Amino acid sequence: MPPNPQKAAVQDPEAEARLEQEIASLAKRHRVSPAIIREIIRRSGSSEKSSIERELQKSKARR
């Protein structure tokens, strides 16, 4: 599926960089890959730190 050009145009590069830093720090803190964090964000539809951590804990509990 090609990326949505409107979505890319709306988001500024600084916000994108901040999100990537947040993803990297969460991945390092919880010892998972950044791809897992991105998947949780995509699935939940929220990039709020607390909701990401809650979803991550739920998935760890299932293992």
Side-chain angles (χ1 to χ4, degrees):
M1 177 179 258
N4 188 350
Q6 288 179 334
K7 185 178 179 184
V10 172
Q11 225 178 18
D12 62 308
E14 290 179 15
E16 184 91 17
R18 262 186 269 123
L19 181 61
E20 286 301 317
Q21 287 177 344
E22 183 81 20
I23 289 171
S25 68
L26 281 169
K28 187 173 182 178
R29 179 175 171 198
H30 292 284
R31 295 182 180 177
V32 294
S33 75
I36 292 173
I37 302 295
R38 285 189 201 97
E39 179 66 21
I40 290 172
I41 290 172
R42 187 188 64 78
R43 212 173 344 131
S44 68
S46 174
S47 61
E48 193 174 309
K49 189 175 183 178
S50 61
S51 66
I52 295 168
E53 288 182 332
R54 197 172 343 160
E55 288 295 320
L56 190 60
Q57 292 303 320
K58 284 182 191 177
S59 65
K60 282 186 175 182
R62 286 186 217 127
R63 283 195 246 161

